[in-house]
Amino acid sequence: MKKIKLRPRRGLATTIKQNFHFWDYYLMVPYLILCLIGIVMVYSSSAAIQMQNGGTPQGYLLKQSIYVILGIAVLIFCANYPLERYRRPRFLEYSTIIMGILLMVVLVLGKAVNGAKGWLNLGPINIQPVEFCKLYFILYLADRMARARQKGEHFLLSKKSHGSMLLAAFYLFLIFIQPDTGGFAINFSIIMVMVLACDIRWGKAITAVIVFPLGLYFGLQLAIINGWLHGGYRIQRFIAFMNPFGNASGSGSQLVNSYYAISNGGIFGVGLGNSVQKMGYLPEPNTDFIMAITSEELGLVGVTIILVLLLVLICRMIQLGVKSASLYQTLICYGSATFFTIETFFNIGGVLGLLPITGVTFPFISYGGSSMLVLSATVGIIINISIRQNKAQLQVGEPFLPTD
């Protein structure tokens, strides 16, 4: 076994070189494969629509490739940036202020897409603040919960936690009124899992997490069946979810065409680039419904490979969280695993008709710069935690075998 020496840090470049032997390839390899699959599928799903609209077929391909390159750079930076600096009061204060400004500005100046004002137009680029809010909540709440534990206090029972929870509730409210139901649900889930993972016996919270969504679901179902609700973009999506074929020429057309795509693909798919539903039948074929196109072209086998790669990432995050002796690191791992799991579930659930369509992208596969940068930064921070665990393991004399 090659002996690895730990040397003092001498800047970021030296740190990257020193940490190379400690990189977690159970995270890095699935990440790179998913990014490459995403580039291919974004190109395949968008080329035809681009030509129909008078654009170049390589338009989204070039943009997604740039986003992936930037994402890898962000990942490398986050994986080697000192983890303690994410907990600095100044860093968290500035992040809180910037996040609040972005969420409020987008309500006033945001560009409406599918009924939600969630995009800020900054010249040549558009950013989606709700994507950055996911990582912000993970880092901010992990620090606050860990500090409460260090003082021997329960987070929710501590007076200092009230401000943090009110802030989180306010930001969730800003997301909800955009309205971004998917973004709200993902951020809410991240917060709830981190709160429950903080070893707080909060039975009422568990009950609320289970009862509230079920009550809302069946309440809306009853209202729609009795004709009490009609109109509105989100209501139309829910109506389409409840009875897509009854609204096949209207609000249910997206889900019906998604079913056709999945049915056409079968087990092995019709072949890369041969999708029929991407030729104008499915809206947003390179974002919301990219997994329907993937299913049609690559079949059940291709979709299964993608889901397994994501499962490896999520399970590794959970494993690192369980192994960590630091509550701060554990909460980051659990929050990140929740982020990836819920986002995947919402997208796949919408494509399969198990959930209303919420406009949530599929991690690494869907087109989008904001999503790619946040996902990459999250994986980078988890790799950072893994590197620290591997170094600690080596320092106490336990054998460490690089996974390359």
Side-chain angles (χ1 to χ4, degrees):
M1 181 178 68
K2 183 179 178 181
K3 187 176 180 181
I4 301 173
K5 296 181 179 180
L6 299 180
R7 300 181 179 87
R9 294 178 178 174
R10 299 177 181 176
L12 184 61
T14 304
T15 302
I16 293 173
K17 184 178 179 180
Q18 177 183 330
N19 289 340
F20 178 76
H21 297 286
F22 297 94
W23 275 62
D24 193 324
Y25 293 95
Y26 291 108
L27 292 170
M28 195 65 189
V29 172
Y31 165 81
L32 291 175
I33 295 175
L34 286 168
C35 287
L36 291 175
I37 294 174
I39 291 174
V40 172
M41 290 313 304
V42 165
Y43 176 50
S44 177
S45 60
S46 64
I49 295 297
Q50 280 286 92
M51 288 190 292
Q52 290 178 9
N53 296 333
T56 60
Q58 296 83 16
Y60 283 112
L61 168 66
L62 294 175
K63 290 181 180 179
Q64 186 69 5
S65 300
I66 292 172
Y67 294 150
V68 168
I69 293 171
L70 290 175
I72 293 173
V74 168
L75 180 145
I76 293 173
F77 176 82
C78 291
N80 294 278
Y81 190 72
L83 198 62
E84 297 80 8
R85 296 187 181 179
Y86 294 114
R87 302 189 67 180
R88 288 183 173 179
R90 184 173 296 181
F91 174 82
L92 293 175
E93 288 172 5
Y94 287 164
S95 300
T96 300
I97 294 171
I98 293 172
M99 198 71 256
I101 291 173
L102 289 175
L103 289 174
M104 287 187 285
V105 169
V106 77
L107 291 174
V108 180
L109 304 177
K111 182 175 69 173
V113 177
N114 293 333
K117 296 182 69 173
W119 295 89
L120 276 178
N121 191 334
L122 302 178
I125 62 172
N126 293 317
I127 66 169
Q128 195 173 11
V130 69
E131 291 293 332
F132 296 94
C133 200
K134 299 168 187 174
L135 182 56
Y136 163 76
F137 276 139
I138 292 172
L139 295 177
Y140 177 76
L141 292 177
D143 174 73
R144 291 295 180 262
M145 292 175 181
R147 291 187 187 279
R149 173 67 67 83
Q150 288 173 355
K151 296 177 180 179
E153 300 175 344
H154 290 305
F155 176 68
L156 288 180
L157 301 180
S158 171
K159 292 182 179 180
K160 293 184 178 180
S161 72
H162 297 167
S164 301
M165 295 307 293
L166 285 175
L167 178 69
F170 177 62
Y171 284 1
L172 285 175
F173 173 74
L174 293 178
I175 294 170
F176 184 76
I177 63 176
Q178 287 183 10
D180 188 344
T181 308
F184 171 84
I186 293 172
N187 281 286
F188 178 78
S189 300
I190 290 171
I191 294 171
M192 291 306 304
V193 168
M194 292 180 69
V195 167
L196 297 174
C198 199
D199 196 25
I200 295 175
R201 295 179 178 87
W202 201 27
K204 293 182 179 179
I206 300 175
T207 304
V209 170
I210 297 173
V211 172
F212 178 75
L214 290 176
L216 180 63
Y217 173 81
F218 288 112
L220 284 173
Q221 185 177 11
L222 180 64
I224 290 170
I225 291 174
N226 288 279
W228 299 337
L229 292 176
H230 56 85
Y233 189 77
R234 283 186 289 182
I235 295 300
Q236 289 301 318
R237 279 186 166 184
F238 197 86
I239 292 173
F241 158 67
M242 297 302 303
N243 185 16
F245 288 96
N247 300 273
S249 60
S251 58
S253 62
Q254 297 179 355
L255 188 52
V256 169
N257 285 311
S258 177
Y259 287 154
Y260 288 156
I262 296 170
S263 176
N264 291 340
I267 298 177
F268 298 105
V270 297
L272 188 63
N274 295 327
S275 168
V276 175
Q277 296 303 314
K278 70 183 180 183
M279 307 299 291
Y281 297 101
L282 265 176
E284 312 293 345
N286 57 330
T287 54
D288 299 0
F289 286 94
I290 196 167
M291 289 307 292
I293 304 302
T294 302
S295 179
E296 186 176 10
E297 295 189 349
L298 304 182
L300 177 63
V301 173
V303 172
T304 301
I305 291 173
I306 291 172
L307 292 177
V308 168
L309 289 170
L310 268 171
L311 183 62
V312 171
L313 276 175
I314 293 167
C315 289
R316 184 58 173 167
M317 291 176 184
I318 296 173
Q319 182 186 30
L320 291 170
V322 172
K323 286 173 55 180
S324 178
S326 165
L327 178 62
Y328 175 70
Q329 295 179 18
T330 296
L331 291 174
I332 288 178
C333 291
Y334 289 168
S336 300
T338 303
F339 169 18
F340 280 57
T341 301
I342 300 299
E343 188 153 305
T344 301
F345 177 68
F346 269 50
N347 183 274
I348 288 291
V351 168
L352 295 176
L354 301 176
L355 293 170
I357 299 167
T358 56
V360 172
T361 57
F362 192 92
F364 303 111
I365 307 299
S366 295
Y367 168 79
S370 297
S371 175
M372 178 59 67
L373 293 178
V374 172
L375 290 166
S376 299
T378 304
V379 174
I381 292 172
I382 301 298
I383 291 176
N384 193 323
I385 292 173
S386 178
I387 290 173
R388 294 170 71 91
Q389 289 187 10
N390 291 333
K391 285 185 176 182
Q393 182 179 335
L394 185 64
Q395 287 175 332
V396 298
E398 296 182 8
F400 166 71
L401 296 176
T403 53
D404 55 351

